[in-house]
Coordinates of all heavy atoms in Angstrom, one line a residue:
M1249 N 39.8 -73.6 -104.4 CA 39.9 -74.1 -103.1 C 38.4 -74.2 -102.5 O 37.6 -73.3 -102.6 CB 40.7 -73.1 -102.2 CG 40.9 -73.7 -100.8 SD 42.0 -72.6 -99.8 CE 43.5 -73.1 -100.4
R1250 N 38.2 -75.3 -101.9 CA 36.9 -75.5 -101.3 C 36.7 -74.6 -100.1 O 37.6 -74.2 -99.4 CB 36.7 -77.0 -100.8 CG 36.8 -78.0 -101.8 CD 36.6 -79.4 -101.3 NE 37.3 -79.6 -100.1 CZ 36.8 -80.3 -99.1 NH1 35.7 -81.0 -99.2 NH2 37.5 -80.5 -98.0
R1251 N 35.4 -74.2 -99.9 CA 35.1 -73.3 -98.8 C 35.6 -73.7 -97.4 O 36.2 -73.0 -96.7 CB 33.6 -73.0 -98.8 CG 33.1 -72.1 -97.7 CD 31.6 -72.0 -97.7 NE 31.2 -71.6 -96.4 CZ 30.8 -70.5 -96.0 NH1 30.7 -69.5 -96.9 NH2 30.4 -70.2 -94.8
P1252 N 35.3 -75.0 -97.0 CA 35.8 -75.5 -95.7 C 37.3 -75.4 -95.6 O 37.8 -75.0 -94.5 CB 35.3 -76.9 -95.6 CG 34.1 -77.0 -96.5 CD 34.4 -76.0 -97.6
A1253 N 38.0 -75.7 -96.6 CA 39.5 -75.6 -96.6 C 39.9 -74.1 -96.4 O 40.8 -73.8 -95.6 CB 40.1 -76.2 -97.8
L1254 N 39.3 -73.3 -97.1 CA 39.6 -71.8 -97.0 C 39.3 -71.3 -95.6 O 40.1 -70.6 -95.0 CB 38.8 -71.0 -98.1 CG 39.0 -69.5 -98.0 CD1 40.5 -69.2 -98.2 CD2 38.2 -68.8 -99.1
A1255 N 38.1 -71.7 -95.1 CA 37.7 -71.3 -93.7 C 38.7 -71.8 -92.7 O 39.1 -71.1 -91.8 CB 36.3 -71.8 -93.4
L1256 N 39.2 -73.1 -92.9 CA 40.2 -73.6 -92.0 C 41.5 -72.8 -92.0 O 42.0 -72.5 -91.0 CB 40.5 -75.1 -92.3 CG 41.6 -75.7 -91.5 CD1 41.3 -75.7 -90.0 CD2 41.9 -77.1 -92.0
L1257 N 41.9 -72.5 -93.2 CA 43.1 -71.7 -93.3 C 43.0 -70.3 -92.7 O 43.8 -69.8 -92.0 CB 43.5 -71.5 -94.8 CG 44.1 -72.8 -95.5 CD1 44.3 -72.5 -97.0 CD2 45.3 -73.3 -94.8
L1258 N 41.8 -69.7 -92.9 CA 41.5 -68.4 -92.3 C 41.4 -68.5 -90.8 O 41.9 -67.7 -90.0 CB 40.3 -67.8 -92.8 CG 40.3 -67.4 -94.3 CD1 38.9 -66.9 -94.8 CD2 41.3 -66.3 -94.5
G1259 N 40.8 -69.6 -90.3 CA 40.7 -69.8 -88.9 C 42.0 -70.1 -88.3 O 42.3 -69.6 -87.2
L1260 N 42.9 -70.8 -88.9 CA 44.2 -71.1 -88.4 C 45.0 -69.8 -88.4 O 45.8 -69.5 -87.5 CB 45.0 -72.1 -89.2 CG 44.5 -73.5 -89.1 CD1 45.2 -74.5 -90.1 CD2 44.7 -74.0 -87.7
A1261 N 44.9 -68.9 -89.4 CA 45.6 -67.7 -89.4 C 45.2 -66.8 -88.3 O 46.1 -66.1 -87.7 CB 45.4 -67.0 -90.8
T1262 N 44.0 -66.8 -87.9 CA 43.5 -65.9 -86.8 C 43.9 -66.5 -85.4 O 44.0 -65.8 -84.5 CB 42.0 -65.6 -86.9 OG1 41.3 -66.8 -86.8 CG2 41.7 -64.8 -88.1
A1263 N 43.9 -67.9 -85.4 CA 44.2 -68.5 -84.1 C 45.6 -68.8 -83.8 O 46.0 -69.0 -82.7 CB 43.4 -69.8 -84.0
M1264 N 46.4 -68.8 -84.9 CA 47.9 -69.1 -84.7 C 48.6 -67.8 -84.7 O 48.8 -67.2 -85.7 CB 48.3 -70.0 -85.9 CG 47.6 -71.3 -86.0 SD 48.1 -72.5 -84.8 CE 48.9 -73.7 -85.9
P1265 N 49.1 -67.5 -83.5 CA 49.8 -66.2 -83.4 C 51.3 -66.3 -83.9 O 51.8 -67.4 -84.1 CB 49.8 -65.9 -81.9 CG 49.8 -67.3 -81.3 CD 49.0 -68.1 -82.2
A1266 N 51.9 -65.2 -84.1 CA 53.3 -65.1 -84.4 C 54.1 -65.7 -83.2 O 53.6 -65.7 -82.1 CB 53.8 -63.7 -84.7
S1267 N 55.3 -66.2 -83.5 CA 56.0 -66.8 -82.4 C 56.3 -65.8 -81.3 O 56.5 -64.7 -81.5 CB 57.4 -67.4 -82.9 OG 58.2 -66.3 -83.2
G1268 N 56.2 -66.4 -80.1 CA 56.5 -65.5 -78.9 C 55.2 -65.0 -78.3 O 55.2 -64.5 -77.2
Q1269 N 54.1 -65.1 -79.0 CA 52.8 -64.7 -78.5 C 52.0 -65.9 -77.9 O 52.3 -67.0 -78.3 CB 52.0 -64.0 -79.6 CG 52.6 -62.7 -80.1 CD 51.7 -62.1 -81.2 OE1 51.0 -62.8 -81.8 NE2 51.9 -60.8 -81.4
T1270 N 51.1 -65.6 -77.1 CA 50.2 -66.7 -76.5 C 49.1 -66.9 -77.5 O 48.6 -66.0 -78.1 CB 49.7 -66.3 -75.1 OG1 49.0 -65.1 -75.2 CG2 50.8 -66.2 -74.1
R1271 N 48.7 -68.2 -77.5 CA 47.6 -68.6 -78.4 C 46.3 -68.3 -77.6 O 46.2 -68.3 -76.4 CB 47.7 -70.1 -78.6 CG 46.5 -70.7 -79.3 CD 46.6 -72.3 -79.3 NE 47.8 -72.8 -79.9 CZ 47.9 -73.0 -81.2 NH1 46.9 -72.8 -82.0 NH2 49.1 -73.5 -81.7
S1272 N 45.2 -68.0 -78.4 CA 43.9 -67.8 -77.7 C 43.5 -69.1 -77.0 O 43.7 -70.2 -77.5 CB 42.8 -67.5 -78.8 OG 43.1 -66.3 -79.4
A1273 N 43.0 -68.9 -75.8 CA 42.6 -70.1 -75.0 C 41.2 -69.8 -74.4 O 41.0 -68.7 -73.9 CB 43.6 -70.3 -73.9
T1274 N 40.4 -70.8 -74.4 CA 39.0 -70.6 -73.9 C 39.0 -70.3 -72.4 O 38.1 -69.5 -72.1 CB 38.2 -71.9 -74.2 OG1 38.8 -73.0 -73.5 CG2 38.1 -72.2 -75.7
P1275 N 39.9 -70.8 -71.6 CA 39.7 -70.4 -70.1 C 39.9 -68.9 -69.9 O 39.5 -68.4 -68.9 CB 40.9 -71.1 -69.4 CG 41.1 -72.3 -70.3 CD 40.9 -71.8 -71.7
R1276 N 40.4 -68.1 -70.9 CA 40.6 -66.7 -70.7 C 39.4 -65.9 -71.3 O 39.3 -64.7 -71.2 CB 41.9 -66.2 -71.3 CG 43.1 -66.7 -70.6 CD 44.3 -66.0 -71.1 NE 44.6 -66.3 -72.5 CZ 45.6 -67.1 -72.8 NH1 46.4 -67.6 -71.9 NH2 45.8 -67.4 -74.1
M1277 N 38.5 -66.6 -72.0 CA 37.4 -66.0 -72.7 C 36.1 -66.2 -71.9 O 35.9 -67.2 -71.2 CB 37.2 -66.6 -74.1 CG 38.4 -66.6 -74.9 SD 38.2 -67.7 -76.4 CE 38.0 -66.4 -77.6
L1278 N 35.1 -65.3 -72.2 CA 33.7 -65.6 -71.7 C 33.1 -66.6 -72.7 O 33.5 -66.7 -73.9 CB 32.9 -64.3 -71.7 CG 33.4 -63.2 -70.7 CD1 32.6 -61.9 -70.9 CD2 33.2 -63.7 -69.3
C1279 N 32.1 -67.3 -72.2 CA 31.5 -68.4 -73.0 C 30.9 -67.7 -74.3 O 31.1 -68.2 -75.4 CB 30.4 -69.1 -72.2 SG 29.6 -70.4 -73.1
A1280 N 30.2 -66.6 -74.1 CA 29.6 -65.9 -75.3 C 30.7 -65.5 -76.3 O 30.4 -65.6 -77.5 CB 28.8 -64.7 -74.8
E1281 N 31.8 -65.1 -75.8 CA 32.9 -64.7 -76.7 C 33.4 -65.9 -77.5 O 33.7 -65.8 -78.7 CB 34.1 -64.0 -76.0 CG 33.7 -62.7 -75.3 CD 34.8 -62.3 -74.4 OE1 35.6 -63.1 -73.9 OE2 34.9 -61.1 -74.1
A1282 N 33.6 -67.0 -76.9 CA 34.1 -68.2 -77.5 C 33.1 -68.7 -78.6 O 33.5 -69.0 -79.7 CB 34.4 -69.3 -76.5
I1283 N 31.9 -68.7 -78.2 CA 30.8 -69.2 -79.2 C 30.8 -68.2 -80.4 O 30.7 -68.7 -81.5 CB 29.4 -69.2 -78.5 CG1 29.4 -70.4 -77.5 CG2 28.3 -69.4 -79.5 CD1 28.2 -70.4 -76.6
A1284 N 30.8 -66.9 -80.1 CA 30.8 -65.9 -81.2 C 32.0 -66.1 -82.1 O 31.9 -65.9 -83.3 CB 30.7 -64.5 -80.6
L1285 N 33.2 -66.4 -81.6 CA 34.4 -66.5 -82.4 C 34.2 -67.7 -83.3 O 34.5 -67.6 -84.5 CB 35.6 -66.7 -81.5 CG 36.9 -67.0 -82.2 CD1 37.3 -65.8 -83.0 CD2 38.0 -67.4 -81.2
V1286 N 33.7 -68.8 -82.8 CA 33.5 -70.0 -83.7 C 32.5 -69.7 -84.7 O 32.7 -70.1 -85.9 CB 33.2 -71.3 -82.8 CG1 32.8 -72.4 -83.7 CG2 34.3 -71.6 -81.9
K1287 N 31.4 -69.1 -84.3 CA 30.4 -68.8 -85.3 C 30.9 -67.8 -86.4 O 30.6 -68.0 -87.6 CB 29.1 -68.2 -84.6 CG 28.3 -69.2 -83.9 CD 27.1 -68.6 -83.3 CE 26.2 -69.6 -82.6 NZ 25.0 -69.1 -82.1
R1288 N 31.6 -66.8 -86.0 CA 32.1 -65.8 -87.0 C 33.2 -66.4 -87.9 O 33.1 -66.2 -89.1 CB 32.7 -64.7 -86.2 CG 33.3 -63.5 -87.1 CD 33.8 -62.4 -86.3 NE 35.0 -62.7 -85.5 CZ 35.1 -62.7 -84.2 NH1 34.0 -62.5 -83.5 NH2 36.2 -63.1 -83.6
E1289 N 34.1 -67.2 -87.4 CA 35.2 -67.7 -88.2 C 34.8 -69.0 -88.9 O 35.4 -69.3 -89.9 CB 36.4 -68.0 -87.3 CG 37.0 -66.8 -86.6 CD 37.5 -65.8 -87.6 OE1 38.0 -66.2 -88.7 OE2 37.4 -64.6 -87.3
G1290 N 33.9 -69.8 -88.4 CA 33.5 -71.0 -89.1 C 34.3 -72.2 -88.6 O 33.8 -73.2 -88.2
A1291 N 35.6 -72.0 -88.5 CA 36.6 -73.0 -88.0 C 37.7 -72.3 -87.4 O 38.3 -71.4 -88.0 CB 37.0 -73.9 -89.1
V1292 N 38.1 -72.7 -86.2 CA 39.2 -72.0 -85.5 C 39.9 -73.0 -84.5 O 39.2 -73.9 -84.0 CB 38.6 -70.8 -84.7 CG1 37.6 -71.2 -83.6 CG2 39.7 -69.9 -84.1
V1293 N 41.1 -72.8 -84.3 CA 41.9 -73.7 -83.4 C 42.1 -72.9 -82.1 O 42.6 -71.8 -82.2 CB 43.3 -74.1 -84.0 CG1 44.1 -74.9 -83.0 CG2 43.1 -74.9 -85.3
L1294 N 41.7 -73.5 -81.0 CA 41.8 -72.8 -79.7 C 42.4 -73.8 -78.7 O 42.1 -75.0 -78.7 CB 40.5 -72.3 -79.2 CG 39.8 -71.3 -80.0 CD1 38.3 -71.1 -79.5 CD2 40.5 -70.0 -79.9
G1295 N 43.1 -73.2 -77.7 CA 43.6 -74.0 -76.6 C 42.4 -74.1 -75.6 O 41.6 -73.2 -75.5
T1296 N 42.3 -75.2 -74.9 CA 41.3 -75.4 -73.9 C 41.8 -75.5 -72.4 O 41.0 -75.8 -71.6 CB 40.4 -76.6 -74.2 OG1 41.3 -77.7 -74.2 CG2 39.7 -76.4 -75.5
G1297 N 43.1 -75.2 -72.3 CA 43.6 -75.4 -70.9 C 44.7 -76.4 -70.9 O 45.8 -76.2 -71.4
T1298 N 44.4 -77.6 -70.4 CA 45.4 -78.6 -70.2 C 45.6 -79.5 -71.5 O 46.7 -80.0 -71.7 CB 45.1 -79.6 -69.1 OG1 43.8 -80.1 -69.3 CG2 45.0 -78.8 -67.8
A1299 N 44.6 -79.7 -72.3 CA 44.7 -80.5 -73.5 C 45.4 -79.7 -74.6 O 45.5 -78.5 -74.6 CB 43.3 -80.9 -74.0
P1300 N 45.9 -80.4 -75.7 CA 46.5 -79.7 -76.8 C 45.4 -78.9 -77.5 O 44.2 -79.2 -77.4 CB 46.9 -80.9 -77.7 CG 46.7 -82.1 -77.0 CD 45.9 -81.9 -75.8
P1301 N 45.8 -77.9 -78.3 CA 44.8 -77.1 -79.0 C 43.9 -77.9 -79.9 O 44.3 -79.0 -80.3 CB 45.7 -76.1 -79.8 CG 47.0 -76.1 -79.1 CD 47.2 -77.4 -78.5
E1302 N 42.7 -77.5 -80.0 CA 41.7 -78.3 -80.8 C 41.0 -77.4 -81.8 O 40.9 -76.2 -81.6 CB 40.7 -78.8 -79.7 CG 39.8 -79.8 -80.2 CD 38.9 -80.4 -79.1 OE1 39.3 -80.4 -77.9 OE2 37.9 -80.9 -79.4
R1303 N 40.6 -78.0 -82.9 CA 39.9 -77.3 -83.9 C 38.4 -77.4 -83.6 O 37.8 -78.5 -83.5 CB 40.2 -77.9 -85.3 CG 39.4 -77.3 -86.4 CD 39.9 -77.9 -87.8 NE 39.2 -77.3 -88.9 CZ 38.2 -77.9 -89.6 NH1 37.8 -79.1 -89.2 NH2 37.6 -77.3 -90.6
F1304 N 37.7 -76.2 -83.6 CA 36.3 -76.2 -83.4 C 35.6 -75.6 -84.6 O 36.2 -74.7 -85.3 CB 35.9 -75.3 -82.2 CG 36.5 -75.8 -80.9 CD1 37.7 -75.2 -80.4 CD2 36.0 -76.8 -80.2 CE1 38.3 -75.7 -79.3 CE2 36.5 -77.3 -79.0 CZ 37.7 -76.7 -78.6
V1305 N 34.4 -76.1 -85.0 CA 33.7 -75.7 -86.2 C 32.3 -75.2 -85.8 O 31.7 -75.7 -84.9 CB 33.7 -76.8 -87.3 CG1 35.1 -77.1 -87.7 CG2 33.0 -78.0 -86.8
R1306 N 31.8 -74.4 -86.7 CA 30.4 -73.9 -86.6 C 29.4 -74.9 -86.8 O 28.4 -75.0 -86.2 CB 30.2 -72.7 -87.5 CG 28.9 -72.1 -87.5 CD 28.7 -70.8 -88.4 NE 29.3 -71.1 -89.7 CZ 30.0 -70.1 -90.4 NH1 30.2 -69.0 -89.8 NH2 30.4 -70.4 -91.6
D1307 N 29.6 -75.7 -87.9 CA 28.7 -76.8 -88.3 C 29.4 -77.8 -89.1 O 30.6 -77.7 -89.4 CB 27.5 -76.2 -89.0 CG 27.9 -75.4 -90.2 OD1 28.6 -75.9 -91.1 OD2 27.5 -74.2 -90.3
R1308 N 28.6 -78.9 -89.5 CA 29.2 -80.0 -90.2 C 29.8 -79.6 -91.6 O 30.6 -80.3 -92.1 CB 28.2 -81.1 -90.4 CG 28.8 -82.4 -90.8 CD 27.9 -83.4 -91.3 NE 28.6 -84.5 -91.9 CZ 29.2 -84.5 -93.1 NH1 29.3 -83.4 -93.7 NH2 29.8 -85.6 -93.6
S1309 N 29.4 -78.5 -92.1 CA 29.9 -78.1 -93.5 C 31.4 -77.9 -93.4 O 32.0 -77.8 -94.5 CB 29.1 -76.9 -94.0 OG 29.5 -75.7 -93.2
F1310 N 32.0 -77.7 -92.3 CA 33.4 -77.5 -92.1 C 34.2 -78.8 -91.9 O 35.4 -78.8 -91.7 CB 33.7 -76.5 -91.0 CG 33.3 -75.1 -91.4 CD1 32.0 -74.7 -91.0 CD2 34.1 -74.3 -92.0 CE1 31.6 -73.4 -91.3 CE2 33.7 -73.0 -92.4 CZ 32.4 -72.6 -92.0
C1311 N 33.4 -79.9 -91.9 CA 34.0 -81.3 -91.8 C 34.2 -81.9 -93.1 O 33.6 -81.5 -94.1 CB 33.1 -82.1 -90.9 SG 32.8 -81.5 -89.2
E1312 N 35.1 -82.9 -93.1 CA 35.2 -83.8 -94.3 C 34.0 -84.6 -94.5 O 33.2 -84.8 -93.6 CB 36.4 -84.7 -94.2 CG 37.8 -84.0 -94.1 CD 38.1 -83.2 -95.4 OE1 37.8 -83.8 -96.5 OE2 38.7 -82.2 -95.3
F1313 N 33.8 -85.1 -95.8 CA 32.6 -85.8 -96.1 C 32.3 -87.0 -95.2 O 31.2 -87.3 -94.9 CB 32.7 -86.3 -97.6 CG 31.5 -87.0 -98.1 CD1 30.3 -86.4 -98.3 CD2 31.6 -88.4 -98.3 CE1 29.2 -87.1 -98.8 CE2 30.5 -89.1 -98.7 CZ 29.3 -88.5 -98.9
T1314 N 33.4 -87.7 -94.8 CA 33.2 -88.9 -94.0 C 33.1 -88.6 -92.5 O 33.0 -89.6 -91.7 CB 34.4 -89.9 -94.2 OG1 35.6 -89.2 -93.9 CG2 34.5 -90.3 -95.7
E1315 N 33.3 -87.4 -92.1 CA 33.3 -87.0 -90.7 C 31.9 -86.6 -90.2 O 31.1 -86.2 -91.0 CB 34.3 -85.9 -90.4 CG 35.7 -86.3 -90.6 CD 36.6 -85.1 -90.4 OE1 36.3 -84.0 -90.8 OE2 37.7 -85.4 -89.9
I1316 N 31.7 -86.7 -88.9 CA 30.5 -86.2 -88.2 C 30.9 -85.0 -87.3 O 32.1 -84.9 -87.0 CB 29.8 -87.3 -87.4 CG1 30.7 -87.8 -86.3 CG2 29.3 -88.4 -88.2 CD1 30.0 -88.8 -85.3
A1317 N 30.0 -84.2 -87.0 CA 30.2 -83.1 -86.1 C 29.7 -83.5 -84.7 O 28.6 -83.8 -84.5 CB 29.5 -81.8 -86.6
E1318 N 30.6 -83.4 -83.7 CA 30.3 -83.8 -82.3 C 30.3 -82.5 -81.5 O 31.3 -81.8 -81.5 CB 31.3 -84.8 -81.8 CG 31.2 -85.1 -80.4 CD 32.3 -86.1 -80.0 OE1 33.5 -85.7 -79.9 OE2 32.0 -87.3 -79.7
L1319 N 29.2 -82.2 -80.8 CA 29.1 -81.1 -79.9 C 30.2 -81.1 -78.9 O 30.5 -82.1 -78.2 CB 27.8 -81.0 -79.2 CG 27.5 -79.8 -78.4 CD1 27.6 -78.5 -79.2 CD2 26.1 -79.9 -77.7
R1320 N 30.9 -80.0 -78.6 CA 32.0 -79.9 -77.7 C 31.7 -78.9 -76.6 O 31.1 -77.8 -76.9 CB 33.3 -79.5 -78.4 CG 33.8 -80.5 -79.3 CD 34.4 -81.7 -78.5 NE 35.6 -81.3 -77.9 CZ 36.0 -81.6 -76.6 NH1 35.2 -82.3 -75.9 NH2 37.1 -81.2 -76.2
F1321 N 32.0 -79.2 -75.4 CA 31.9 -78.3 -74.2 C 33.3 -78.1 -73.7 O 34.0 -79.1 -73.5 CB 31.0 -79.0 -73.1 CG 29.6 -79.2 -73.6 CD1 29.2 -80.4 -74.2 CD2 28.6 -78.3 -73.4 CE1 27.9 -80.6 -74.7 CE2 27.3 -78.5 -73.8 CZ 27.0 -79.7 -74.4
V1322 N 33.6 -76.8 -73.5 CA 35.0 -76.5 -73.0 C 34.9 -75.5 -71.8 O 33.9 -74.8 -71.7 CB 35.8 -75.9 -74.1 CG1 36.0 -76.9 -75.3 CG2 35.2 -74.6 -74.6
P1323 N 35.9 -75.4 -71.0 CA 35.9 -74.5 -69.9 C 36.2 -73.1 -70.4 O 37.1 -72.9 -71.2 CB 37.0 -75.0 -69.0 CG 37.9 -75.7 -69.9 CD 37.1 -76.3 -71.0
T1324 N 35.4 -72.1 -69.9 CA 35.6 -70.7 -70.2 C 35.7 -70.0 -68.9 O 35.4 -70.6 -67.8 CB 34.5 -70.1 -71.1 OG1 33.3 -70.2 -70.5 CG2 34.5 -70.7 -72.5
R1325 N 36.0 -68.7 -68.9 CA 36.1 -67.9 -67.7 C 34.9 -68.0 -66.8 O 34.9 -68.0 -65.6 CB 36.5 -66.5 -68.0 CG 37.0 -65.7 -66.9 CD 37.6 -64.4 -67.3 NE 36.8 -63.7 -68.3 CZ 37.0 -62.5 -68.8 NH1 38.0 -61.8 -68.3 NH2 36.2 -62.0 -69.6
D1326 N 33.7 -68.0 -67.5 CA 32.4 -67.9 -66.7 C 31.6 -69.2 -66.8 O 30.5 -69.2 -66.2 CB 31.6 -66.8 -67.3 CG 31.2 -66.9 -68.7 OD1 31.9 -67.6 -69.4 OD2 30.2 -66.3 -69.1
N1327 N 32.1 -70.2 -67.5 CA 31.3 -71.5 -67.6 C 32.2 -72.7 -67.8 O 32.9 -72.7 -68.8 CB 30.3 -71.3 -68.8 CG 29.4 -72.5 -69.0 OD1 29.5 -73.5 -68.3 ND2 28.4 -72.3 -69.8
P1328 N 32.2 -73.6 -66.8 CA 33.0 -74.8 -67.0 C 32.6 -75.7 -68.1 O 33.4 -76.6 -68.5 CB 32.9 -75.4 -65.6 CG 31.6 -75.0 -65.0 CD 31.4 -73.6 -65.6
Q1329 N 31.4 -75.6 -68.6 CA 30.9 -76.5 -69.7 C 30.2 -75.6 -70.8 O 29.1 -75.8 -71.1 CB 29.9 -77.4 -69.1 CG 30.4 -78.5 -68.1 CD 31.4 -79.4 -68.9 OE1 31.0 -80.0 -69.9 NE2 32.5 -79.7 -68.3
C1330 N 31.0 -74.8 -71.4 CA 30.5 -73.9 -72.5 C 30.3 -74.7 -73.8 O 31.3 -75.3 -74.3 CB 31.5 -72.7 -72.7 SG 31.0 -71.6 -74.0
P1331 N 29.2 -74.7 -74.4 CA 28.9 -75.4 -75.7 C 29.5 -74.6 -76.9 O 28.8 -73.9 -77.6 CB 27.4 -75.5 -75.8 CG 26.9 -74.3 -75.0 CD 27.9 -74.0 -73.9
I1332 N 30.8 -74.6 -77.0 CA 31.5 -73.7 -78.0 C 31.2 -74.0 -79.4 O 31.2 -73.1 -80.3 CB 33.0 -73.8 -77.7 CG1 33.8 -72.7 -78.5 CG2 33.5 -75.2 -78.1 CD1 35.2 -72.7 -78.2
G1333 N 30.9 -75.2 -79.8 CA 30.6 -75.5 -81.2 C 30.8 -77.0 -81.4 O 30.5 -77.8 -80.4
Y1334 N 31.4 -77.4 -82.5 CA 31.6 -78.8 -82.8 C 33.0 -79.2 -83.1 O 33.8 -78.3 -83.4 CB 30.7 -79.2 -84.0 CG 29.2 -79.0 -83.8 CD1 28.7 -77.7 -84.1 CD2 28.4 -80.0 -83.2 CE1 27.3 -77.5 -83.8 CE2 27.1 -79.7 -83.0 CZ 26.5 -78.5 -83.3 OH 25.2 -78.3 -83.1
R1335 N 33.4 -80.4 -83.0 CA 34.6 -80.9 -83.6 C 34.3 -82.0 -84.6 O 33.3 -82.7 -84.5 CB 35.5 -81.5 -82.5 CG 35.1 -82.8 -82.0 CD 36.2 -83.4 -81.1 NE 35.7 -84.7 -80.6 CZ 36.5 -85.7 -80.3 NH1 37.8 -85.6 -80.4 NH2 36.0 -86.8 -79.9
C1336 N 35.1 -82.0 -85.6 CA 34.9 -83.0 -86.7 C 35.6 -84.3 -86.3 O 36.8 -84.3 -85.8 CB 35.5 -82.5 -88.0 SG 34.7 -81.0 -88.6
K1337 N 35.0 -85.4 -86.5 CA 35.7 -86.7 -86.2 C 35.1 -87.8 -87.1 O 33.9 -87.7 -87.5 CB 35.5 -87.1 -84.7 CG 34.2 -87.5 -84.3 CD 34.2 -88.0 -82.8 CE 33.2 -89.2 -82.7 NZ 33.4 -89.9 -81.5
E1338 N 35.9 -88.8 -87.3 CA 35.5 -90.0 -88.0 C 34.6 -90.8 -87.0 O 34.9 -91.0 -85.9 CB 36.6 -90.9 -88.4 CG 37.5 -90.3 -89.5 CD 36.8 -90.2 -90.9 OE1 35.9 -91.1 -91.1 OE2 37.1 -89.4 -91.7
P1339 N 33.4 -91.2 -87.5 CA 32.5 -91.9 -86.6 C 33.1 -93.3 -86.3 O 33.7 -94.0 -87.1 CB 31.2 -92.0 -87.3 CG 31.6 -91.9 -88.8 CD 32.8 -91.0 -88.8
G1340 N 32.9 -93.7 -85.0 CA 33.3 -95.1 -84.6 C 32.0 -95.9 -84.4 O 30.9 -95.4 -84.5
L1341 N 32.2 -97.1 -84.0 CA 31.0 -98.0 -83.8 C 30.1 -97.5 -82.7 O 28.9 -97.6 -82.7 CB 31.5 -99.4 -83.4 CG 32.2 -100.2 -84.5 CD1 32.7 -101.5 -84.0 CD2 31.2 -100.4 -85.7
E1342 N 30.7 -96.8 -81.7 CA 29.9 -96.2 -80.6 C 29.0 -95.1 -81.0 O 28.1 -94.7 -80.3 CB 30.8 -95.8 -79.5 CG 31.6 -94.5 -79.8 CD 32.9 -94.8 -80.6 OE1 33.2 -96.0 -80.9 OE2 33.6 -93.8 -80.9
D1343 N 29.2 -94.5 -82.2 CA 28.4 -93.4 -82.7 C 27.2 -93.8 -83.5 O 26.4 -93.0 -83.9 CB 29.3 -92.5 -83.6 CG 30.4 -91.9 -82.9 OD1 30.1 -91.2 -81.8 OD2 31.6 -92.0 -83.3
W1344 N 27.0 -95.1 -83.7 CA 25.8 -95.6 -84.4 C 24.8 -96.2 -83.4 O 25.1 -96.8 -82.4 CB 26.2 -96.7 -85.4 CG 27.2 -96.1 -86.4 CD1 28.5 -96.3 -86.4 CD2 26.9 -95.3 -87.5 NE1 29.1 -95.6 -87.5 CE2 28.1 -95.0 -88.2 CE3 25.7 -94.8 -88.1 CZ2 28.1 -94.2 -89.3 CZ3 25.7 -94.0 -89.2 CH2 26.9 -93.7 -89.8
D1345 N 23.5 -96.1 -83.7 CA 22.4 -96.6 -82.9 C 22.2 -98.0 -83.4 O 21.6 -98.3 -84.4 CB 21.2 -95.7 -83.1 CG 20.0 -96.3 -82.2 OD1 20.3 -97.1 -81.4 OD2 18.9 -95.8 -82.4
W1346 N 22.6 -99.0 -82.6 CA 22.5 -100.4 -83.0 C 21.2 -101.1 -82.5 O 21.0 -102.2 -82.7 CB 23.7 -101.2 -82.6 CG 25.0 -100.8 -83.2 CD1 25.9 -100.0 -82.6 CD2 25.4 -101.0 -84.5 NE1 26.9 -99.7 -83.5 CE2 26.7 -100.3 -84.7 CE3 24.9 -101.7 -85.6 CZ2 27.4 -100.4 -85.9 CZ3 25.6 -101.8 -86.8 CH2 26.8 -101.1 -86.9
D1347 N 20.5 -100.3 -81.7 CA 19.3 -100.8 -81.1 C 18.0 -100.6 -82.0 O 17.1 -99.9 -81.7 CB 19.1 -100.2 -79.7 CG 18.0 -100.9 -78.9 OD1 17.8 -102.1 -79.1 OD2 17.4 -100.2 -78.0
W1348 N 18.0 -101.3 -83.1 CA 16.9 -101.2 -84.1 C 15.8 -102.1 -83.6 O 16.0 -103.2 -83.2 CB 17.3 -101.5 -85.5 CG 18.4 -100.7 -86.0 CD1 18.8 -99.5 -85.6 CD2 19.2 -101.0 -87.1 NE1 19.8 -99.0 -86.4 CE2 20.1 -99.9 -87.3 CE3 19.4 -102.1 -88.0 CZ2 21.1 -99.9 -88.3 CZ3 20.3 -102.1 -89.0 CH2 21.1 -101.0 -89.1
K1349 N 14.6 -101.6 -83.8 CA 13.4 -102.4 -83.4 C 12.4 -102.4 -84.6 O 12.3 -101.6 -85.3 CB 12.8 -101.9 -82.2 CG 13.7 -102.0 -81.0 CD 13.1 -101.8 -79.7 CE 14.1 -101.9 -78.7 NZ 14.1 -102.0 -77.5

């Protein structure tokens, strides 16, 4: 099993609680705690409040080959714009610098 896939499974196991329990959510955490969790786990799924849970990664090595890592800011208990880590996404046209000179 590839390391990113294993890290994702481990991250999901720690972030996905047994039924009836609440999922970890960034609004209940301090910014430093949220950042440390992502760094420690490598990849983790967390709730951010109103949006559906999202997967956050430590760096691009946890993304698929064709994906880029985009810096994410989420609300935490002490910071409305905490730089928690990255999310993996397929690049779109807006992600390329077309202004070549």
Side-chain angles (χ1 to χ4, degrees):
M1249 183 179 278
R1250 295 181 321 143
R1251 178 185 153 106
L1254 178 59
L1256 172 61
L1257 290 175
L1258 292 174
L1260 287 173
T1262 59
M1264 301 283 246
S1267 73
Q1269 295 178 339
T1270 57
R1271 176 189 299 273
S1272 294
T1274 61
R1276 292 191 294 252
M1277 306 168 106
L1278 294 174
C1279 184
E1281 292 171 339
I1283 291 170
L1285 176 64
V1286 173
K1287 283 185 179 180
R1288 181 177 67 247
E1289 298 296 327
V1292 64
V1293 176
L1294 295 170
T1296 59
T1298 58
E1302 192 172 336
R1303 179 176 178 253
F1304 300 99
V1305 298
R1306 176 175 51 219
D1307 56 54
R1308 194 194 169 291
S1309 70
F1310 292 90
C1311 298
E1312 293 295 323
F1313 180 73
T1314 60
E1315 294 177 320
I1316 60 173
E1318 176 181 69
L1319 183 60
R1320 291 289 288 134
F1321 296 88
V1322 299
T1324 58
R1325 195 168 45 170
D1326 62 335
N1327 185 348
Q1329 293 291 312
C1330 177
I1332 191 171
Y1334 300 89
R1335 76 171 177 149
C1336 299
K1337 71 172 217 165
E1338 290 290 333
L1341 290 176
E1342 69 280 0
D1343 295 308
W1344 299 100
D1345 181 12
W1346 297 102
D1347 191 24
W1348 298 342
K1349 298 194 180 196

